[in-house]
Amino acid sequence: MAGEANLDELAKQLDQSLSLGDQHASTTVTVAAAGLEGISDSSVPEKRSDVESLYSVPSAVGSLSSIDEDIDNKAATAVQVPLTAYMPKLPKKATSLFAAAASPVHHIAHMIKNGAAKRIIVMAGAGISTDAGIPDFRSPETGLYANLQQYRLPYPEAIFTIDYFKRKPKPFFVLAKELYPGQFIPTISHFFVKLLAQKNLLLRHYTQNIDCLERMAGIESALIVEAHGSFHSAHCISAKCRKEHAQAWVKEQIFSDKVPHCTQCKSLVKPDITFFGEGLPQRFFELLDADFDVCDLLIVMGTSLQVHPFASLIDQVPRSTPRLLVNRERVGESSIGGIGFDFDGKHVRNTLHRDALILGDCDEACLLLADHLGWKEELLKLRAEFVAKHKLNGT
């Protein structure tokens, strides 16, 4: 295909443009990262600071959503953000894991291909599900918290606060009906994680999401840590009872606009989602230390890193482990060395620069990374087969 040839040529331009970082370049190379039809290959130069060289890719969210437009048109409303691989100009004495003349995407793909990264942990937030039509939480206009006026809450987070839920459970269950699993299709990002699992490269997938899309994509439960719980199971909230209730029964109650009550003690029944004021699932703590101690590549996608203890997990990997953030904005940085991301190498005098950043849509970034790995067609086929199967089944 012509798109494939253009992609190869523009990939070369990418590495050439990124190598200009040491010369304070301000070059933008725009390419069709996904190699999909109908994406412009035009280049748009922009002014950049003297510490960075940037590579931008037009979002292909519209093209991706066309794969399953008959199933879920919500994805087409996602805000489109250019994809940018960040290349900092590091302090002169800084030692970096990443070659100055190559993009971080290229370097990380090389690590995976040559076997240097084979115990990969993925940390994910709501950003990997937005292309499925599920809103994230904190985006100013489109986020979930910005659109809860109908529930007349004292503050947005109240809908996920256990004390408020005990007093007024109805708002949560009205919202739960809109968000309930089975109404959304897993995104390219979910299937990228599945590919890592299929290739025995995924150590664990830690997710803040409650949408169960990882499970729908076919990732084995043993590889998933739902740090904030999910709709997959439900229990009575009474400490004296704690009776488990079948997911099908809870779903039937919710979709009948009823508030589920325990069949044994009549207390409220709540999906096993971790609310503010509740402890995280035991599985989170059981696997945390062993997983992060041996992680050799950390990929963080689509999260604001504002909720702890999940946010602090990025500091649990060994000091020599590279970390890649894929997000619509820079997050997780700190003015204190050794805490949080350090994309610009401000604190690398006695440590190694090991943090890479891709700004933009998670699906686009996963397609770009898959292309560097030689997995792009496999990734697109995996999702297309899933969509075709669900169309056939009418789900």
Side-chain angles (χ1 to χ4, degrees):
M1 286 173 55
E4 298 284 350
N6 290 339
L7 181 62
D8 291 338
E9 179 60 30
L10 288 164
K12 294 177 183 177
Q13 295 181 32
L14 161 64
D15 286 335
Q16 291 171 1
S17 69
L18 290 180
S19 68
L20 299 176
D22 288 335
Q23 302 172 28
H24 297 187
S26 58
T27 303
T28 300
V29 179
T30 306
V31 305
L36 299 175
E37 297 293 338
I39 303 176
S40 171
D41 292 331
S42 61
S43 177
V44 182
E46 298 180 23
K47 288 186 177 181
R48 303 297 185 191
S49 76
D50 64 353
V51 297
E52 62 190 33
S53 172
L54 299 172
Y55 150 52
S56 295
V57 181
S59 175
V61 172
S63 296
L64 293 177
S65 64
S66 67
I67 295 174
D68 58 331
E69 62 186 357
D70 293 333
I71 295 178
D72 187 5
N73 287 320
K74 296 176 183 177
T77 64
V79 177
Q80 298 189 11
V81 177
L83 192 62
T84 303
Y86 180 69
M87 282 290 290
K89 182 169 174 56
L90 299 172
K92 291 183 179 180
K93 294 184 179 180
T95 302
S96 179
L97 278 174
F98 310 115
S103 74
V105 177
H106 176 83
H107 184 94
I108 288 171
H110 181 71
M111 286 186 60
I112 296 173
K113 285 194 289 188
N114 71 13
K118 52 189 176 184
R119 293 185 296 271
I120 301 171
I121 290 178
V122 177
M123 291 173 55
I128 73 167
S129 295
T130 53
D131 282 348
I134 302 175
D136 65 14
F137 285 83
R138 292 180 171 80
S139 290
E141 295 181 4
T142 60
L144 183 64
Y145 288 154
N147 291 279
L148 295 175
Q149 297 89 343
Q150 60 180 305
Y151 303 114
R152 299 181 180 179
L153 303 170
Y155 53 94
E157 293 84 354
I159 203 162
F160 292 114
T161 301
I162 190 62
D163 288 341
Y164 186 83
F165 173 81
K166 290 177 179 178
R167 298 195 308 272
K168 296 183 177 181
K170 187 67 175 179
F172 167 76
F173 286 112
V174 172
L175 178 63
K177 185 177 179 180
E178 296 181 29
L179 299 179
Y180 205 86
Q183 304 177 86
F184 305 95
I185 298 294
T187 66
I188 287 289
S189 300
H190 293 103
F191 285 104
F192 179 78
V193 178
K194 182 180 180 179
L195 263 185
L196 291 176
Q198 286 184 341
K199 296 176 184 296
N200 295 316
L201 296 169
L202 182 68
L203 174 60
R204 207 82 63 192
H205 177 67
Y206 282 74
T207 178
Q208 293 175 286
N209 298 335
I210 60 175
D211 52 36
C212 298
L213 289 181
E214 293 86 1
R215 295 174 183 268
M216 280 192 69
I219 302 171
E220 294 181 11
S221 297
L223 293 175
I224 302 171
V225 174
E226 292 161 327
H228 296 165
S230 76
F231 282 98
H232 187 67
S233 57
H235 286 80
C236 171
I237 68 170
S238 170
K240 295 181 179 179
C241 180
R242 296 297 296 160
K243 176 181 171 61
E244 183 171 2
H245 289 71
Q247 185 185 31
W249 178 84
V250 175
K251 181 179 179 180
E252 189 277 328
Q253 294 286 301
I254 291 174
F255 277 78
S256 298
D257 298 321
K258 299 176 182 177
V259 173
H261 285 84
C262 180
T263 57
Q264 184 166 294
C265 75
K266 305 305 179 184
S267 296
L268 290 168
V269 171
K270 180 178 76 65
D272 291 336
I273 296 166
T274 304
F275 278 20
F276 293 108
E278 292 186 303
L280 270 60
Q282 188 62 34
R283 177 174 168 78
F284 175 86
F285 298 103
E286 290 173 350
L287 295 174
L288 174 62
D289 290 340
D291 282 353
F292 281 79
D293 283 350
V294 299
C295 173
D296 52 23
L297 173 61
L298 179 66
I299 301 175
V300 183
M301 297 196 294
T303 172
S304 64
L305 290 178
Q306 291 187 22
V307 179
H308 291 269
F310 187 90
S312 63
L313 294 184
I314 63 173
D315 295 318
Q316 300 305 309
V317 296
R319 295 286 186 185
S320 59
T321 296
R323 305 181 297 187
L324 170 65
L325 173 67
V326 179
N327 204 48
R328 289 176 178 257
E329 59 186 5
R330 295 173 68 135
V331 297
E333 295 177 273
S334 172
S335 59
I336 303 173
I339 300 176
F341 289 122
D342 182 15
F343 303 115
D344 296 303
K346 295 178 181 178
H347 308 291
V348 295
R349 291 181 180 177
N350 301 312
T351 58
L352 189 67
H353 177 253
R354 40 79 176 260
D355 293 333
L357 172 65
I358 300 178
L359 291 170
D361 180 78
C362 291
D363 278 9
E364 294 295 345
C366 286
L367 280 166
L368 180 63
L369 189 53
D371 185 67
H372 277 262
L373 288 164
W375 301 353
K376 186 188 71 177
E377 295 304 323
E378 189 177 358
L379 175 57
L380 290 172
K381 181 180 179 182
L382 194 63
R383 186 169 189 264
E385 289 177 344
F386 180 93
V387 170
K389 178 181 177 181
H390 282 260
K391 278 188 177 181
L392 188 64
N393 294 338
T395 59

